[in-house]
Amino acid sequence: MATASVAFKSREDHRKQLELEEARKAGLAPAELDEDGKEINPHIPQYMSSAPWYLNAERPSLKHQRKWKSDPNYTKSWYDRGAKIYQADKYRKGACENCGAMTHDAKSCMDRPRKLGAKWTGKHIAPDEKIEQFELDYDGKRDRWNGYDAASYAHIIERYEARDEARKKYLKDQQLKKLEEKNNKEDEERGDSEDEDFEDALKVDEAKVDESKQMDFAKVEKRVRTTGGGSTGTVRNLRIREDTAKYLLNLDVNSAHYDPKTRSMREDPLPDMDPNEKFYAGDNQNRVSGQALEFKQLNIHAWEAFDKGHDVHMQAAPSQAELLYKNYKVNKEKLKSQTKEDIMEKYGNAASDEILPRELLLGQSEREVEYDCAGRIVKGQEMSIPRSKYEEDVYINNHTTVWGSWWKDHQWGYKCCKQTIRNSYCTGAAGIEAAEASADLMKANIARKESVEDAPAPVNERRLATWGTEVPDDLVLDQQKLAEALKKEDEKRREERDERKRKYNVKYNDEVTPEEMEAYRMKKVLHDDPMKDFLH
């Protein structure tokens, strides 16, 4: 908000002017008027911040060139959300067909689409919404927070306050629990006494009262020589004034380098000194010991787990990565102990109190063994039969022999039942007899079928007539009628070649004699006949 910039004579005048502006905003003081006697809007800048040198410098002048006078038609109010104006009890003409409200149509209805709308049922008529029209000014149209209710943010603040309270309570309970465990441990070591119980009660009461150390984030750390808010050190990292400075431990110019900006000396300034008498061994000593080393191993485990396909990210989900690392260490210790127990069970424990046999202890025996030049045993010890890595002599499905103990017709099987199916159930001697009977029956059927195929039944070839019926054996053709039929067939073919010789009055007879059919067969052109071109 820009206001008139005036040179005040004293700090008191400035304070009074600010109080007057605050009172005007709250409506407790009369508004400021311009030269025309109209009220000045405090939200709109009225004057330039400083008057030019050629004008009167005692008071500001030269109003802004923009349109600064407020329009009385503009408003700063906002829509009354969710307001209803009228509740109808029956459907009205022109209302929404879905919900029954008059302020919108069915296309703009925001209610759930009903199976039968209010127009047809006349039930559950929705109330009419409150329709408002506002004329906003330039700033009002572009105000992102116009109509925002600041009271709606209260529940967010309450949620964060409740979370902080719960965190404080939890940390307080943890602190009391640790203190009680410590007191109980001291009681077990030293014995119970009334005086110690009284002191423990006082300690618990002091812990309940003291709340300055219960939250880790309450510690104020001061940034030291950082640019852009970076953290290169804290006040806690500074040395005690009575301690010797790092750069004074070894004055040799070729000793460990000291960085004055970060106050760090990574290397050991006194590498030849006795480790038991050393007070400072370099900053790198802190990186390879304590929690720093554990954190490094945690990062390495997260990287390796991510490379192997696990969804682990140290920065995105540190709690998940730490829990997985703890589970990994527990499983590793279990596997290590299990492997150790298996080895001790198989080979024995040399560190135990059990006395081993003399033969195993000295590795000597009175058995004489003779070897040949190739290192093979010739005499003195039986050859051990090498065993297969597969299971041996395992009988399944009631079989008494193993799979592959029988061979026939290029197929493996079981010798006990002579079956060639791997997962079959053993049938014993009965199965062998049934299989042999089935094979004999199959051979007999095949031999009978082959004998039938070798001697086929004689087929009597019957001469078929041209019209599709069988020619009787006693059929006798009349040669004279056959000659006449051949002559008629020739004339018919000539008429087919030359249509000019076809007569107009043609009489057909449906009765066909055997002689005519024989003439047709004799004159018929066989396209598959290689001599058909020499017939005519």
Side-chain angles (χ1 to χ4, degrees):
M1 179 183 69
T3 57
S5 177
V6 182
F8 299 101
K9 295 181 179 180
S10 64
R11 189 183 299 274
E12 185 67 21
D13 295 341
H14 188 198
R15 184 183 62 79
K16 291 181 179 180
Q17 182 65 21
L18 292 177
E19 292 179 354
L20 181 60
E21 291 179 358
E22 295 293 337
R24 285 172 179 170
K25 292 179 183 178
L28 302 177
E32 185 179 359
L33 302 179
D34 59 0
E35 297 175 356
D36 299 333
K38 296 183 179 180
E39 182 180 350
I40 296 177
N41 190 351
H43 298 282
I44 300 177
Q46 302 293 327
Y47 304 99
M48 296 182 65
S49 60
S50 60
W53 60 271
Y54 52 83
L55 293 179
N56 187 7
E58 295 180 357
R59 63 183 185 88
S61 63
L62 191 59
K63 297 178 180 179
H64 282 289
Q65 301 299 324
R66 59 168 294 182
K67 183 180 179 182
W68 57 271
K69 293 184 178 180
S70 61
D71 194 339
N73 295 327
Y74 291 157
T75 179
K76 293 187 177 297
S77 58
W78 198 246
Y79 301 100
D80 190 3
R81 296 179 179 177
K84 309 295 181 182
I85 55 177
Y86 178 70
Q87 174 67 57
D89 54 355
K90 64 179 181 178
Y91 182 78
R92 296 160 292 176
K93 184 178 180 181
C96 176
E97 298 179 357
N98 185 41
C99 66
M102 286 290 294
T103 51
H104 63 269
D105 54 359
K107 187 176 181 180
S108 303
C109 184
M110 300 299 293
D111 287 1
R112 176 183 59 82
R114 304 180 184 179
K115 187 176 182 180
L116 290 176
K119 180 179 179 181
W120 293 275
T121 60
K123 298 179 181 179
H124 306 290
I125 305 297
D128 299 342
E129 296 91 352
K130 184 178 180 182
I131 305 298
E132 296 178 286
Q133 297 291 338
F134 298 116
E135 186 177 358
L136 303 175
D137 55 358
Y138 182 86
D139 295 331
K141 293 178 181 179
R142 292 158 179 80
D143 189 2
R144 294 175 60 240
W145 300 96
N146 195 0
Y148 173 73
D149 186 11
S152 61
Y153 193 73
H155 71 281
I156 299 178
I157 299 177
E158 293 175 358
R159 186 180 66 182
Y160 277 89
E161 290 178 352
R163 188 190 66 176
D164 294 341
E165 291 295 334
R167 178 183 293 176
K168 291 178 181 179
K169 183 178 179 181
Y170 173 76
L171 294 175
K172 188 70 176 179
D173 295 341
Q174 293 293 326
Q175 186 179 6
L176 292 175
K177 185 177 179 181
K178 291 181 179 179
L179 186 58
E180 291 176 358
E181 291 177 355
K182 183 178 179 181
N183 295 336
N184 294 334
K185 186 176 180 181
E186 291 177 356
D187 293 341
E188 291 177 358
E189 294 178 355
R190 301 176 183 177
D192 297 333
S193 62
E194 295 180 357
D195 296 338
E196 290 178 352
D197 292 341
F198 180 73
E199 292 177 0
D200 294 340
L202 290 178
K203 290 181 180 179
V204 173
D205 294 337
E206 291 175 0
K208 291 182 180 178
V209 175
D210 187 12
E211 295 182 354
S212 60
K213 298 181 180 180
Q214 65 178 349
M215 299 180 69
D216 296 336
F217 52 84
K219 299 177 182 177
V220 179
E221 295 185 356
K222 183 180 179 182
R223 306 292 183 181
V224 179
R225 294 187 181 182
T226 61
T227 58
S231 59
T232 57
T234 60
V235 177
R236 300 172 187 270
N237 295 334
L238 296 179
R239 63 179 176 85
I240 304 175
R241 298 295 94 186
E242 288 80 7
D243 294 341
T244 306
K246 300 176 183 178
Y247 51 85
L248 296 178
L249 294 175
N250 191 350
L251 300 180
D252 187 4
V253 293
N254 296 325
S255 63
H257 173 70
Y258 175 76
D259 185 8
K261 184 177 181 180
T262 59
R263 299 194 181 109
S264 62
M265 181 180 287
R266 295 176 176 83
E267 299 178 3
D268 188 1
L270 301 172
D272 300 331
M273 188 176 178
D274 185 7
N276 298 326
E277 299 179 0
K278 275 187 183 180
F279 175 75
Y280 178 74
D283 294 339
N284 287 339
Q285 183 68 22
N286 299 329
R287 297 184 180 182
V288 295
S289 62
Q291 295 182 350
L293 182 61
E294 296 179 0
F295 184 73
K296 181 179 179 181
Q297 293 175 354
L298 177 59
N299 276 310
I300 294 174
H301 175 264
W303 298 336
E304 293 177 352
F306 182 78
D307 293 338
K308 293 179 180 179
H310 296 280
D311 190 9
V312 182
H313 198 279
M314 187 58 195
Q315 282 70 34
S319 300
Q320 178 189 7
E322 186 174 1
L323 182 60
L324 290 176
Y325 182 58
K326 288 182 178 179
N327 296 337
Y328 165 75
K329 290 196 295 184
V330 171
N331 296 334
K332 184 178 179 180
E333 291 296 331
K334 288 182 179 180
L335 182 60
K336 187 176 180 181
S337 61
Q338 183 65 28
T339 305
K340 183 177 179 181
E341 291 177 0
D342 294 342
I343 294 174
M344 292 173 61
E345 182 179 358
K346 185 174 182 181
Y347 299 103
N349 187 6
S352 63
D353 298 334
E354 299 178 0
I355 300 176
L356 296 176
R358 187 177 181 84
E359 293 81 6
L360 296 178
L361 184 61
L362 302 177
Q364 298 177 357
S365 64
E366 296 180 356
R367 181 178 300 174
E368 183 180 356
V369 182
E370 184 179 352
Y371 298 90
D372 59 1
C373 59
R376 293 185 293 268
I377 297 175
V378 177
K379 179 182 177 182
Q381 187 176 5
E382 296 181 358
M383 296 293 293
S384 60
I385 302 175
R387 300 193 60 182
S388 173
K389 65 178 180 179
Y390 303 100
E391 296 180 346
E392 297 180 358
D393 299 333
V394 177
Y395 307 115
I396 61 174
N397 295 336
N398 202 31
H399 290 284
T400 57
T401 56
V402 295
W403 169 259
S405 59
W406 186 64
W407 168 267
K408 184 180 180 182
D409 297 337
H410 303 281
Q411 288 184 341
W412 293 104
Y414 295 98
K415 186 178 180 181
C416 55
C417 58
K418 296 184 179 181
Q419 295 194 57
T420 58
I421 300 175
R422 178 71 178 271
N423 295 326
S424 63
Y425 193 81
C426 183
T427 56
I432 297 175
E433 294 176 0
E436 291 177 355
S438 177
D440 295 341
L441 181 59
M442 184 181 293
K443 290 179 180 179
N445 293 336
I446 293 174
R448 186 172 61 255
K449 185 177 180 181
E450 291 177 353
S451 62
V452 171
E453 292 178 354
D454 293 341
V459 179
N460 296 327
E461 296 183 358
R462 303 294 300 275
R463 183 182 179 186
L464 299 178
T466 310
W467 55 89
T469 59
E470 295 182 358
V471 179
D473 297 335
D474 56 349
L475 180 61
V476 179
L477 298 176
D478 190 353
Q479 296 298 328
Q480 186 177 359
K481 292 181 179 180
L482 180 59
E484 293 177 357
L486 291 172
K487 187 176 180 180
K488 289 181 180 180
E489 188 68 23
D490 292 338
E491 293 177 357
K492 183 178 179 181
R493 291 182 181 276
R494 281 196 300 269
E495 290 178 0
E496 289 178 356
R497 294 194 192 99
D498 191 358
E499 294 182 356
R500 293 176 299 176
K501 295 181 179 181
R502 181 182 296 177
K503 297 180 181 180
Y504 291 100
N505 297 327
V506 180
K507 295 181 181 181
Y508 290 99
N509 188 9
D510 295 337
E511 295 179 359
V512 180
T513 61
E515 288 79 7
E516 291 177 351
M517 285 303 303
E518 184 66 17
Y520 172 77
R521 186 184 62 80
M522 294 173 65
K523 294 295 184 179
K524 181 181 178 181
V525 177
L526 300 177
H527 297 281
D528 296 338
D529 189 1
M531 301 297 291
K532 64 184 180 60
D533 296 334
F534 300 98
L535 295 176
H536 304 289

